[in-house]
Each structure stands twice: as C-alpha cells, then as structure tokens.
Amino acid sequence: MKRWGLGLFLVLGIVLVLAACSSDTMNDNATADNANAANAANPEITPETELVITATNYSFDQEEYHVKKGVPVKIIFKNESGNHGLLVPELNLLLNRKTSSTVIIPDKAGTYEMTCAVMCGSGHSTMKAKIVVE
C-alpha cells in the first residue's frame, strides 16, 4: 500500500511540474505573438531607411544602432551563428528567425536596450546592445 501511495504522489508531482512548464511556454508564446502582431508591417508605410542588425554567438554586430525619431525604418534581423532574436519592448520590437524584419516609426527620442530574445546559451545574459532614437 505504501508503494502505491508513493507512486501516486510522484506521478502527481510530475504532472504539476509539467503543467507549470507548459503554462509558462504558453505565456511566452502569447507574448511573442502579441509583439509580432504589433510588428506586422503596415503595407501603407514605406520605410525611408533600413537598419540591419546581425547576431552571432553572444553578441550583436554593433554596440549601438542609431535611428531618427518619426522616420519609418525597416529593421532587418540576421542570424549569422547560433539561434538568436532581438527584443526592444519600448519600441514593440521583437524579431527572430520566424519574423526577421519589420517597419517601425520610432516616436520618442531616447536610448533603448536591446537584448537577445532567444535563450542562446551561457552568454545569453550578456547579449545586449542599444538603439538610440535621435
């Protein structure tokens, strides 16, 4: 009888852990879907400039990227090595392998931190750059 109770306890524990993990994944996917919906390029907006951001293992190709306030810019994200993404919450900007470009119109001057949006390994937390809206 004790074995049956212990087995049931272990099974319930595993089910709870899996349920918690899938819940977080669903929330992450919903957040990504919302950001991608915000990123959907408006076909009526013609970008005046392009900004290419390239990611390699644990770094972006520049420490700072500059764009102009009020000017439509097409941001193109390229992965040269590893699996990465880019996230700038204040600009509603999320790009990755699935959605690699979008057009935005930065409407507020400032410096915004850009981070990797995909857990890419041991250097993930140091993968940062800045977008400066002038």
Side-chain angles (χ1 to χ4, degrees), residues 25-105:
T25 302
M26 288 174 57
N27 288 339
D28 290 345
N29 287 341
T31 301
D33 289 344
N34 289 341
N36 283 335
N39 284 343
N42 184 339
E44 297 172 9
I45 299 174
T46 303
E48 292 183 26
T49 67
E50 284 188 355
L51 173 63
V52 178
I53 300 173
T54 304
T56 58
N57 279 331
Y58 313 128
S59 67
F60 295 105
D61 62 330
Q62 295 180 37
E63 291 182 17
E64 258 185 26
Y65 302 88
H66 293 261
V67 295
K68 295 190 183 219
K69 177 183 168 189
V71 176
V73 58
K74 181 175 185 176
I75 299 180
I76 302 166
F77 178 66
K78 294 184 178 179
N79 252 329
E80 284 201 351
S81 62
N83 185 20
H84 306 285
L86 70 84
L87 174 65
V88 185
E90 298 86 356
L91 298 176
N92 284 332
L93 182 60
L94 173 65
L95 297 174
N96 51 40
R97 289 186 189 262
K98 185 177 178 183
T99 306
S100 62
S101 69
T102 190
V103 176
I104 66 168
I105 303 173

Side-chain angles (χ1 to χ4, degrees), residues 3-19:
R3 286 182 144 182
W4 186 81
L6 181 61
L8 180 61
F9 180 73
L10 288 174
V11 168
L12 286 174
I14 291 171
V15 167
L16 288 173
V17 168
L18 290 175

